[in-house]
Amino acid sequence: MTTEAAPPHGSAGTPTASPTAEQFAAVQQSAEFAELRSSYRSFAFPLTVAFIAWYLLYVLLSNYAGGFMGTKLFGNVNVALVFGLAQFATTFLIAWLYSRHAASKLDPKAAAIKARMEAGE
């Protein structure tokens, strides 16, 4: 069931004026946005390259160093299993680090830009 009535004034669903393309372009050219983008890239790009290198090392060792990867460490646990599980651990570590970085560095800057745009500045 839907209604045509507008939400009450001040509610979360109150329509606001949308920023224009010119306002978006101005924000994109601002030093504040450049700083936000730089902060994101300085974190994301190095970690992405490092993780891809780590993953490719695992794949290459699995293909070309079978003897090394088959080395038993204890019981039925070998180097390949440890490296494979380390891939999962690395993925979760990077996600956790990114969430901390975003919360402390990216989100406040993005919120300030958003607030400025919503205020029509």
Side-chain angles (χ1 to χ4, degrees):
M1 183 168 123
T2 61
T3 180
E4 297 297 320
H9 182 69
S11 71
T14 303
T16 59
S18 297
T20 64
E22 292 80 20
Q23 289 171 315
F24 277 110
V27 167
Q28 185 179 9
Q29 300 300 322
S30 71
E32 189 177 25
F33 187 78
E35 183 182 334
L36 173 64
R37 189 172 46 225
S38 173
S39 181
Y40 168 75
R41 288 178 177 170
S42 67
F43 181 87
F45 287 170
L47 273 181
T48 300
V49 169
F51 184 78
I52 289 172
W54 161 233
Y55 176 73
L56 289 176
L57 174 68
Y58 173 64
V59 170
L60 291 172
L61 287 174
S62 295
N63 283 322
Y64 300 110
F68 170 69
M69 295 297 272
T71 304
K72 296 224 183 229
L73 298 175
F74 53 90
N76 286 330
V77 177
N78 61 16
V79 172
L81 180 62
V82 171
F83 275 24
L85 293 174
Q87 290 288 320
F88 286 102
T90 304
T91 301
F92 288 110
L93 176 66
I94 290 172
W96 178 71
L97 288 172
Y98 178 76
S99 71
R100 287 186 54 203
H101 174 74
S104 67
K105 304 255 188 320
L106 303 178
D107 292 347
K109 292 175 187 176
I113 292 170
K114 180 183 175 198
R116 199 174 79 226
M117 285 197 71
E118 288 177 345
E121 296 176 15

